[in-house]
Amino acid sequence: MATTRVILSYPWNGGGKGLNKTSTEEDLGISEKVLKIARKELREDSCAREQCLQQIRDWLKKNPDVNNVRMDDKFLLRFLRAKKFSIPMAEQTLLKYLNFRRTFAHMTTKLDFLSPTVNELISGGYIFASPIRDKNGRRVVIAFAKNFDPSRHCSADMARAHFITYETLLEDPENQILGFTHIGDMSGVSAAHITCWNVTEFARIMKWGEQSVPMRHKEIHIVNVHTTVKYVVDFAKSLIHVNVENLIKKVDKECLPLEMGGSMPMAEMIELWKAEMAAKRDVILSLDEMALLSDRGIISSRDKNNNSNSLTQMDSIAGSFRKLEVD
């Protein structure tokens, strides 16, 4: 296994500091190779960072509709990077992010991986991030549907497990730049997995989440799709794999757990992921201190009939999935 790509000591506990860093940008905690990608794909350089961060901070300080929003570079840059340093778009995404957390508070707040229901899902291997980056340097988020028991857990438990994963990963600047690879094993899915969600709420959270969570989704791979849910993911036929053998032809095998053809047992990956979440636990919990006092600054989408209340007319589940953008 290529140990240089295994995330055992960096970036979440400071290991590897100074390796492949420029003298002027070392404090960013980003390698020169990743900075080159940021310049090419996101139009990011030291000048853009400095100017855009100052503008977005000034906007936040003058904005009466927000309260106690994080002002640190790491947090604000996730929005700027997701929108390729377009300040108006980054500001809108930030407002939508705060509104998303407010509207779906039962799913997006109190993101404590140690809470019993969520910890059970994570420890049981429902969702975790591989400690091994893929060949493009991206973190790989892996989910096993069969490890979610709908008789023991509800949709809010599922959502919290996902949002804890995303928020933890977004604390790493390199992840913000490089984006993410997602792998979902749908074996074991039953009708109960679908019915644990209210259809309207699921459609809303998919639509709002895609517009509000500043993640760069680079690849989405789904394997072992049962006919029960095939219509949900039919939008991504080119990314659906019949079995694991087919999957490993398209993704970096080393990123996968041993049970899917990789080298590291899934249990070991999960323990490393839990250690990573523990290191970020206080930061993730502190996100609840931020508040959106009014959504008047959000520019809402309008339907073809120019109906400003179009958000009440939600798409179907399949329609919501089709709108998921891959950067």
Side-chain angles (χ1 to χ4, degrees), residues 59 135 198 269 281:
W59 167 74
K135 62 185 177 183
N198 173 281
M269 286 187 168
R281 179 172 176 262

Side-chain angles (χ1 to χ4, degrees), residues 8 12 131 264 267-277:
L8 300 178
W12 38 273
M264 184 181 294
E268 186 176 346
M269 286 187 168
I270 292 171
E271 288 306 307
L272 289 170
W273 175 234
K274 289 169 72 174
E276 188 170 349
M277 287 188 294

Side-chain angles (χ1 to χ4, degrees), residues 186 189 194 224-233:
M186 304 294 283
V189 169
I194 305 301
N224 296 324
V225 180
H226 191 273
T227 54
T228 306
V229 294
K230 188 177 186 299
Y231 76 97
V232 175
V233 294

Side-chain angles (χ1 to χ4, degrees), residues 271-301:
E271 288 306 307
L272 289 170
W273 175 234
K274 289 169 72 174
E276 188 170 349
M277 287 188 294
K280 299 297 183 185
R281 179 172 176 262
D282 290 344
V283 175
I284 303 307
L285 288 174
S286 70
L287 293 171
D288 292 353
E289 298 172 8
M290 299 186 297
L292 180 71
L293 306 179
S294 171
D295 62 1
R296 61 186 175 181
I298 296 176
I299 301 174
S300 61
S301 59

